[in-house]
Amino acid sequence: MKGHVKELLTELGEDPNREGLLKTPERVSKALHFLTKGYQEDPLAILRAATFREDYQQMVIVRDIDFYSLCEHHMLPFFGKVHVGYIPNKYITGLSKIPRIVEVFARRLQVQERLTTQIKDCIQQALSPLGVIVVIEAQHMCMQMR
C-alpha cells in the first residue's frame, strides 16, 4: 500500500521525497488498516459470546454511541451517534457489546444506510428480539468538504 500512496502523492503534484512527506505512505497505510479493521472481526460472535437468558421484555436502549467510518464512495470520513434499542425475547446481551458491534461495522467502507441495517440485522440474528431499532445521526465529510 505504501508504494501506491507514494504514487498518489506524485499524481497529486507533490514530491513524496520532501521531508514532511517521507513517512506519509507508512502513516496512511497504518491509518487505513486501522480504519478498516472491522473486516477482520465477527460482530455476531461478539454478541453471541455475551448472550444471557433473561425473562425481560422491556425495551433496552443504548444511546449516543460514537462512531467513525469511511464513506465507500469517496473514502472520506463520516461520523456521529448511533442509538440502538431492542425488546428482548428471552435473551439479552451485555450492554457493552452493542457499541462493539457498531464499531466493527463502522470500521469498514460504508454507507449510512447499510451500517444501520447491518447493526439491526446482527442484533436480530443473535438475539431474536421482539423488535430492534437503530437510528444514526451523522456528518458526512464527503458532502461537507466538497
Side-chain angles (χ1 to χ4, degrees), residues 6-20:
K6 195 171 183 177
E7 190 176 317
L8 177 63
L9 289 169
T10 301
E11 286 291 322
L12 292 173
E14 268 293 353
D15 174 9
N17 295 312
R18 78 174 167 86
E19 184 180 9

PDB file of all heavy atoms in Angstrom, residues 6-20:
ATOM      1  N   LYS A   6       2.688   6.586  -2.256  1.00  0.00           N
ATOM      2  CA  LYS A   6       3.781   7.394  -2.816  1.00  0.00           C
ATOM      3  C   LYS A   6       3.439   7.815  -4.249  1.00  0.00           C
ATOM      4  O   LYS A   6       3.614   8.971  -4.642  1.00  0.00           O
ATOM      5  CB  LYS A   6       5.081   6.590  -2.776  1.00  0.00           C
ATOM      6  CG  LYS A   6       6.315   7.411  -2.989  1.00  0.00           C
ATOM      7  CD  LYS A   6       7.569   6.591  -2.708  1.00  0.00           C
ATOM      8  CE  LYS A   6       8.789   7.472  -2.867  1.00  0.00           C
ATOM      9  NZ  LYS A   6      10.029   6.766  -2.541  1.00  0.00           N
ATOM     10  N   GLU A   7       2.902   6.877  -5.015  1.00  0.00           N
ATOM     11  CA  GLU A   7       2.491   7.163  -6.396  1.00  0.00           C
ATOM     12  C   GLU A   7       1.353   8.187  -6.415  1.00  0.00           C
ATOM     13  O   GLU A   7       1.333   9.097  -7.253  1.00  0.00           O
ATOM     14  CB  GLU A   7       2.049   5.860  -7.060  1.00  0.00           C
ATOM     15  CG  GLU A   7       1.817   5.952  -8.537  1.00  0.00           C
ATOM     16  CD  GLU A   7       1.470   4.583  -9.116  1.00  0.00           C
ATOM     17  OE1 GLU A   7       2.110   3.576  -8.756  1.00  0.00           O
ATOM     18  OE2 GLU A   7       0.526   4.542  -9.938  1.00  0.00           O
ATOM     19  N   LEU A   8       0.420   8.062  -5.486  1.00  0.00           N
ATOM     20  CA  LEU A   8      -0.695   9.001  -5.379  1.00  0.00           C
ATOM     21  C   LEU A   8      -0.177  10.413  -5.083  1.00  0.00           C
ATOM     22  O   LEU A   8      -0.641  11.380  -5.687  1.00  0.00           O
ATOM     23  CB  LEU A   8      -1.674   8.543  -4.285  1.00  0.00           C
ATOM     24  CG  LEU A   8      -2.862   9.450  -4.008  1.00  0.00           C
ATOM     25  CD1 LEU A   8      -3.764   9.567  -5.222  1.00  0.00           C
ATOM     26  CD2 LEU A   8      -3.644   8.912  -2.820  1.00  0.00           C
ATOM     27  N   LEU A   9       0.773  10.518  -4.161  1.00  0.00           N
ATOM     28  CA  LEU A   9       1.353  11.828  -3.855  1.00  0.00           C
ATOM     29  C   LEU A   9       1.966  12.460  -5.100  1.00  0.00           C
ATOM     30  O   LEU A   9       1.788  13.652  -5.361  1.00  0.00           O
ATOM     31  CB  LEU A   9       2.402  11.694  -2.747  1.00  0.00           C
ATOM     32  CG  LEU A   9       1.859  11.391  -1.352  1.00  0.00           C
ATOM     33  CD1 LEU A   9       3.000  11.025  -0.399  1.00  0.00           C
ATOM     34  CD2 LEU A   9       1.058  12.559  -0.820  1.00  0.00           C
ATOM     35  N   THR A  10       2.655  11.661  -5.887  1.00  0.00           N
ATOM     36  CA  THR A  10       3.259  12.148  -7.129  1.00  0.00           C
ATOM     37  C   THR A  10       2.172  12.602  -8.100  1.00  0.00           C
ATOM     38  O   THR A  10       2.278  13.669  -8.709  1.00  0.00           O
ATOM     39  CB  THR A  10       4.133  11.047  -7.772  1.00  0.00           C
ATOM     40  OG1 THR A  10       5.143  10.669  -6.830  1.00  0.00           O
ATOM     41  CG2 THR A  10       4.782  11.526  -9.056  1.00  0.00           C
ATOM     42  N   GLU A  11       1.111  11.809  -8.233  1.00  0.00           N
ATOM     43  CA  GLU A  11      -0.010  12.157  -9.119  1.00  0.00           C
ATOM     44  C   GLU A  11      -0.674  13.467  -8.696  1.00  0.00           C
ATOM     45  O   GLU A  11      -1.197  14.197  -9.532  1.00  0.00           O
ATOM     46  CB  GLU A  11      -1.049  11.034  -9.156  1.00  0.00           C
ATOM     47  CG  GLU A  11      -0.622   9.819  -9.941  1.00  0.00           C
ATOM     48  CD  GLU A  11      -0.541  10.095 -11.436  1.00  0.00           C
ATOM     49  OE1 GLU A  11      -1.384  10.839 -11.973  1.00  0.00           O
ATOM     50  OE2 GLU A  11       0.393   9.564 -12.068  1.00  0.00           O
ATOM     51  N   LEU A  12      -0.663  13.746  -7.399  1.00  0.00           N
ATOM     52  CA  LEU A  12      -1.261  14.984  -6.893  1.00  0.00           C
ATOM     53  C   LEU A  12      -0.357  16.193  -7.132  1.00  0.00           C
ATOM     54  O   LEU A  12      -0.748  17.318  -6.867  1.00  0.00           O
ATOM     55  CB  LEU A  12      -1.567  14.852  -5.398  1.00  0.00           C
ATOM     56  CG  LEU A  12      -2.680  13.874  -5.033  1.00  0.00           C
ATOM     57  CD1 LEU A  12      -2.772  13.693  -3.524  1.00  0.00           C
ATOM     58  CD2 LEU A  12      -4.021  14.348  -5.594  1.00  0.00           C
ATOM     59  N   GLY A  13       0.863  15.950  -7.593  1.00  0.00           N
ATOM     60  CA  GLY A  13       1.798  17.036  -7.854  1.00  0.00           C
ATOM     61  C   GLY A  13       2.751  17.299  -6.697  1.00  0.00           C
ATOM     62  O   GLY A  13       3.437  18.313  -6.670  1.00  0.00           O
ATOM     63  N   GLU A  14       2.795  16.391  -5.755  1.00  0.00           N
ATOM     64  CA  GLU A  14       3.680  16.526  -4.597  1.00  0.00           C
ATOM     65  C   GLU A  14       4.979  15.785  -4.834  1.00  0.00           C
ATOM     66  O   GLU A  14       5.071  14.920  -5.690  1.00  0.00           O
ATOM     67  CB  GLU A  14       2.990  15.949  -3.348  1.00  0.00           C
ATOM     68  CG  GLU A  14       2.201  16.941  -2.548  1.00  0.00           C
ATOM     69  CD  GLU A  14       3.038  18.014  -1.867  1.00  0.00           C
ATOM     70  OE1 GLU A  14       4.288  17.957  -1.881  1.00  0.00           O
ATOM     71  OE2 GLU A  14       2.432  18.936  -1.327  1.00  0.00           O
ATOM     72  N   ASP A  15       5.948  16.127  -4.008  1.00  0.00           N
ATOM     73  CA  ASP A  15       7.229  15.423  -4.020  1.00  0.00           C
ATOM     74  C   ASP A  15       7.245  14.480  -2.820  1.00  0.00           C
ATOM     75  O   ASP A  15       7.423  14.928  -1.686  1.00  0.00           O
ATOM     76  CB  ASP A  15       8.384  16.424  -3.923  1.00  0.00           C
ATOM     77  CG  ASP A  15       9.741  15.745  -3.786  1.00  0.00           C
ATOM     78  OD1 ASP A  15       9.818  14.503  -3.929  1.00  0.00           O
ATOM     79  OD2 ASP A  15      10.723  16.467  -3.531  1.00  0.00           O
ATOM     80  N   PRO A  16       7.035  13.180  -3.022  1.00  0.00           N
ATOM     81  CA  PRO A  16       6.980  12.245  -1.903  1.00  0.00           C
ATOM     82  C   PRO A  16       8.309  12.126  -1.155  1.00  0.00           C
ATOM     83  O   PRO A  16       8.350  11.528  -0.084  1.00  0.00           O
ATOM     84  CB  PRO A  16       6.581  10.918  -2.537  1.00  0.00           C
ATOM     85  CG  PRO A  16       6.910  11.051  -3.975  1.00  0.00           C
ATOM     86  CD  PRO A  16       6.862  12.509  -4.310  1.00  0.00           C
ATOM     87  N   ASN A  17       9.373  12.722  -1.701  1.00  0.00           N
ATOM     88  CA  ASN A  17      10.677  12.664  -1.040  1.00  0.00           C
ATOM     89  C   ASN A  17      10.975  13.897  -0.190  1.00  0.00           C
ATOM     90  O   ASN A  17      12.033  13.962   0.426  1.00  0.00           O
ATOM     91  CB  ASN A  17      11.783  12.456  -2.078  1.00  0.00           C
ATOM     92  CG  ASN A  17      11.636  11.113  -2.757  1.00  0.00           C
ATOM     93  OD1 ASN A  17      11.456  10.087  -2.101  1.00  0.00           O
ATOM     94  ND2 ASN A  17      11.664  11.116  -4.077  1.00  0.00           N
ATOM     95  N   ARG A  18      10.050  14.852  -0.154  1.00  0.00           N
ATOM     96  CA  ARG A  18      10.315  16.002   0.714  1.00  0.00           C
ATOM     97  C   ARG A  18      10.099  15.592   2.166  1.00  0.00           C
ATOM     98  O   ARG A  18       9.351  14.666   2.468  1.00  0.00           O
ATOM     99  CB  ARG A  18       9.522  17.225   0.292  1.00  0.00           C
ATOM    100  CG  ARG A  18       8.085  17.284   0.671  1.00  0.00           C
ATOM    101  CD  ARG A  18       7.506  18.669   0.291  1.00  0.00           C
ATOM    102  NE  ARG A  18       6.067  18.653   0.354  1.00  0.00           N
ATOM    103  CZ  ARG A  18       5.384  18.876   1.479  1.00  0.00           C
ATOM    104  NH1 ARG A  18       5.995  19.133   2.594  1.00  0.00           N
ATOM    105  NH2 ARG A  18       4.064  18.837   1.433  1.00  0.00           N
ATOM    106  N   GLU A  19      10.773  16.282   3.065  1.00  0.00           N
ATOM    107  CA  GLU A  19      10.849  15.886   4.472  1.00  0.00           C
ATOM    108  C   GLU A  19       9.483  15.609   5.109  1.00  0.00           C
ATOM    109  O   GLU A  19       9.297  14.599   5.774  1.00  0.00           O
ATOM    110  CB  GLU A  19      11.583  16.963   5.271  1.00  0.00           C
ATOM    111  CG  GLU A  19      11.795  16.587   6.725  1.00  0.00           C
ATOM    112  CD  GLU A  19      12.516  17.675   7.501  1.00  0.00           C
ATOM    113  OE1 GLU A  19      12.710  18.789   6.973  1.00  0.00           O
ATOM    114  OE2 GLU A  19      12.878  17.401   8.648  1.00  0.00           O
ATOM    115  N   GLY A  20       8.537  16.486   4.904  1.00  0.00           N
ATOM    116  CA  GLY A  20       7.231  16.324   5.540  1.00  0.00           C
ATOM    117  C   GLY A  20       6.427  15.137   5.042  1.00  0.00           C
ATOM    118  O   GLY A  20       5.471  14.716   5.688  1.00  0.00           O
TER     119      GLY A  20
END
